[in-house]
Amino acid sequence: MSLLATALALAAALVAPLAVPAAAAAAEPDFPSSMSGYHNYPEMVAEIQAAAASYPDIVQVFSIGKSYGGRDIWAAKISDNVATDEAEPEVLIDALHHAREHLTTEQALAILRWMTTGYGSDTTVTRLVNARETFIIFALNPDGMRYDLTGDPFRAWRKNRQPNAGTTAVGTDLNRNYGYRWGCCGGSSGKPSATTYRGATPFSAPETQVFRDFVKSRVIDGIQQIRAHITLHTNGELILWPYGYTKTNVPADMTSLDHTTFVTLGRAQASRNGYTAQQSSDLYITDGDQIDWLYATYRIFSFTYELYPSEQSTVWKDHYPDDSKIPAQTARNRTAILYLINQAGCPYAALGSDARRADCGPLFDDLEINRGWVRNAAGTDTATRGLWSVSNPASTSSNGPKQLGTTVSGSRALVTGARAGTSASTNDVDGGTTTVRSRPITLPASATSYGPLTFRYYLAHGVTSSRDDALRVIVEAQDGTPTVVFQELGAANDDDAAWASASRSLAAWAGQTIHLVVEATDGGRDSLVEAALDDIRIRRP
Ligand code: 0X9
Ligand code: CA
Ligand code: ZN
Ligand code: CA
């Protein structure tokens, strides 16, 4: 506390011990005058609100919720027809997980300025405002942001300002508090006094909770609308992709297609701002960090930017560049950030080939997360065991493989009775039919603008099977009319599980919003029946 503040506090205590003087309550810590180019929290709020007032057609300001200390965590949505949730790819950018990383809020404000002042004059910005919905969260950790300015002049504070039970040590490292592989791998601390304290439980910090709930709120009809994300940190001049929890490049919880896309997008951004692109664990292992959670949970192409400067010798040199650096060091990231906002329309297109571009058709489901599949949607299922789920299947064997432990992509698929059980017949389909229904899928009006429905599948059965057993794929038209477009029946022989390919025209449903229903049946006498699907696609030509 400064001498002046101490004197004021003493005077207040003597004169009016029960009342907080208005001047002291309003006193807001600020940057020293030599660094006045930085925004403190009230200045940040004022600038965001001024942008919304000046550009009401394309900027909407809202709070995603409150910090531990009750401060609003402010966000802006930037898009044409901003009051309407249009069917446009969404991008999320956030700043200031870590209190002392003030340049990140300046970067977030700079992006807001590019998108507003450039609208109608800059062709790239205009196109991206029209064709994307960009969300910016300006300071995820407003309590820490303020507290950092109560030092002399700074505290080099990192965490939030949440007390920890049983200790005077304050704060959780918000970027170790996310719920994917939280605390798994030596990439965080369990000690409340540590700068990388992970918190008592995953999402124990109000700030990560409200972030989680905001991202969850962007799942519409089973599909996460946010396709790309940047979290802004300082420092090191790096662009990092997941995972942080492991040094393995392509672990089971990442598909090789997604990994290639991460590397390509990361390098393409780095070529635009001169940063170094690498896997986040190449820097060091983290667990419970934000981009791991965003990719693992929602398959968002999520990057950490470590802004200016490059790695320095002290925390003060790392995080407190002179305010004269702000304009150039935020402008430097303009083309990289606009590039990613653009690529959110089809991240796989970054790979350049027509084949990958085609993956941005009406449906691309690698089944690595559940993108809106609902079991027994009609309520008419009769199967008692072996129900459909989006899962990592165990392998089973009875006279050869009946359920495959491997999938076509990644580690999950749509499978009947994913678990192994004590024998191959423990968790196979029993007692009738199990169904699973897709999210609504909108097909273009012209049947030449989309390809056939393609998928990988198997139906495996034992010798007691018959034509009463089946795997079917059904198209449910917009008016609900079902049509079987694929069917494989059982037979009185032993048929092992092996991934096969299928392709069916959906031309008859052009212009409709359809659902797919996948059905597996153990009919007639009880027999060993297993089925699975993976990589279900309706591509564009
Ligand atoms: O440690 C962090 O949370 C980030 N770096 S910072 O200096 N801004 O604190 C890095 C997060 C990215 N993940 C990994 N490096 N694993
Ligand atoms: Ca819009
Ligand atoms: Zn950071
Ligand atoms: Ca898969």
Side-chain angles (χ1 to χ4, degrees):
M1 196 182 277
S2 71
L3 276 179
L4 177 62
T6 310
L8 281 172
L10 272 175
L14 289 169
V15 174
L18 296 176
V20 180
E28 187 66 26
D30 204 352
F31 290 85
S33 55
S34 63
M35 300 256 281
S36 62
Y38 284 93
H39 293 68
N40 68 3
Y41 179 74
E43 290 164 353
M44 176 199 85
V45 175
E47 178 157 339
I48 301 164
Q49 283 171 349
S54 301
Y55 301 92
D57 296 341
I58 59 165
V59 177
Q60 211 168 49
V61 170
F62 61 101
S63 165
I64 65 166
K66 290 189 189 296
S67 66
Y68 175 81
R71 288 184 183 80
D72 276 309
I73 298 173
W74 289 106
K77 176 188 172 187
I78 308 165
S79 189
D80 66 335
N81 308 312
V82 69
T84 309
D85 184 10
E86 297 187 295
E88 294 166 340
E90 297 181 12
V91 181
L92 177 61
I93 299 168
D94 65 66
L96 208 99
H97 271 69
H98 293 141
R100 60 195 174 199
E101 299 174 6
H102 300 284
L103 186 62
T104 66
T105 294
E106 301 308 318
Q107 182 73 68
L109 291 170
I111 299 166
L112 178 64
R113 258 177 259 125
W114 305 337
M115 307 284 280
T116 51
T117 61
Y119 188 61
S121 54
D122 181 295
T123 53
T124 303
V125 164
T126 305
R127 184 169 50 80
L128 295 178
V129 170
N130 287 341
R132 303 283 178 271
E133 295 182 324
T134 300
F135 293 94
I136 303 175
I137 297 170
F138 297 88
L140 194 73
N141 181 6
D143 299 350
M145 179 186 192
R146 180 187 189 282
Y147 179 69
D148 191 52
L149 302 179
T150 64
D152 188 18
F154 305 112
R155 292 184 184 271
W157 190 253
R158 172 178 170 94
K159 300 188 284 181
N160 75 350
R161 293 296 298 159
Q162 184 175 14
N164 294 304
T167 163
T168 55
V170 171
T172 294
D173 183 346
L174 298 180
N175 208 26
R176 301 294 183 277
N177 190 238
Y178 289 84
Y180 190 68
R181 309 226 167 179
W182 178 83
C184 70
C185 302
S188 61
S189 175
K191 287 200 198 79
S193 59
T195 54
T196 58
Y197 177 52
R198 68 179 78 100
T201 54
F203 296 111
S204 54
E207 295 85 356
T208 57
Q209 278 169 34
V210 298
F211 180 89
R212 173 196 64 194
D213 294 346
F214 171 69
V215 173
K216 195 173 172 195
S217 78
R218 300 317 305 149
V219 176
I220 313 281
D221 281 338
I223 291 291
Q224 174 56 255
Q225 303 296 299
I226 301 168
R227 307 288 304 279
H229 163 257
I230 297 170
T231 184
L232 298 165
H233 286 254
T234 60
N235 64 309
E237 304 188 347
L238 302 167
I239 292 178
L240 309 173
W241 63 77
Y243 281 110
Y245 82 86
T246 176
K247 290 203 177 283
T248 305
N249 293 351
V250 194
D253 46 3
M254 179 177 283
T255 62
S256 56
L257 175 60
D258 285 359
H259 178 259
T260 311
T261 305
F262 268 120
V263 174
T264 305
L265 288 171
R267 289 184 181 155
Q269 290 170 88
S271 75
R272 286 165 170 79
N273 63 5
Y275 288 11
T276 301
Q278 60 187 38
Q279 187 174 340
S280 54
S281 56
D282 292 347
L283 186 61
Y284 47 77
I285 296 275
T286 53
D287 43 46
D289 100 347
Q290 187 200 28
I291 66 171
D292 281 13
W293 179 76
L294 284 167
Y295 173 70
T297 311
Y298 294 110
R299 300 284 141 166
I300 294 169
F301 285 98
S302 186
F303 294 88
T304 302
Y305 274 34
E306 295 281 1
L307 305 183
Y308 177 88
S310 55
E311 200 54 51
Q312 303 293 306
S313 54
T314 70
V315 72
W316 307 103
K317 290 177 182 166
D318 278 333
H319 299 300
Y320 299 97
D322 193 82
D323 64 357
S324 64
K325 303 288 186 189
I326 295 171
Q329 292 303 330
T330 54
R332 173 182 183 178
N333 297 317
R334 178 183 171 110
T335 54
I337 291 169
L338 294 181
Y339 167 83
L340 191 69
I341 295 173
N342 183 48
Q343 294 306 124
C346 180
Y348 297 131
L351 304 186
S353 71
D354 289 347
R356 298 307 23 157
R357 217 175 289 276
D359 284 332
C360 297
L363 179 68
F364 177 78
D365 198 342
D366 61 17
L367 280 310
E368 294 305 294
I369 55 172
N370 188 341
R371 295 175 172 92
W373 292 95
V374 176
R375 186 198 294 157
N376 192 18
T380 53
D381 287 8
T382 49
T384 53
R385 296 196 76 87
L387 309 185
W388 287 109
S389 67
V390 175
S391 300
N392 181 350
S395 61
T396 68
S397 175
S398 168
N399 264 320
K402 291 295 174 289
Q403 178 162 288
L404 299 176
T406 54
T407 59
V408 179
S409 61
S411 60
R412 294 194 183 88
L414 199 49
V415 292
T416 55
R419 286 154 52 149
T422 49
S423 83
S425 54
T426 307
N427 278 323
D428 72 315
V429 184
D430 279 334
T433 294
T434 175
T435 66
V436 67
R437 185 179 191 248
S438 76
R439 64 173 175 95
I441 301 161
T442 300
L443 300 175
S446 160
T448 56
S449 349
Y450 62 97
L453 168 70
T454 62
F455 54 91
R456 307 291 300 276
Y457 76 98
Y458 63 78
L459 172 69
H461 53 78
V463 285
T464 63
S465 177
S466 72
R467 296 175 62 81
D468 295 325
D469 303 337
L471 170 66
R472 293 186 182 89
V473 177
I474 297 152
V475 172
E476 231 177 67
Q478 190 153 312
D479 67 4
T481 308
T483 304
V484 176
V485 293
F486 171 91
Q487 169 171 283
E488 184 166 308
L489 300 179
N493 60 19
D494 181 75
D495 191 351
D496 286 345
W499 288 107
S501 301
S503 176
R504 293 291 185 275
S505 170
L506 298 184
W509 292 274
Q512 297 192 34
T513 296
I514 63 164
H515 291 82
L516 300 175
V517 177
V518 182
E519 181 183 289
T521 301
D522 180 0
R525 64 182 281 206
D526 181 28
S527 35
L528 177 55
V529 175
E530 289 281 15
L533 270 76
D534 202 358
D535 288 6
I536 309 175
R537 295 177 166 101
I538 304 169
R539 307 175 88 186
R540 62 189 198 199

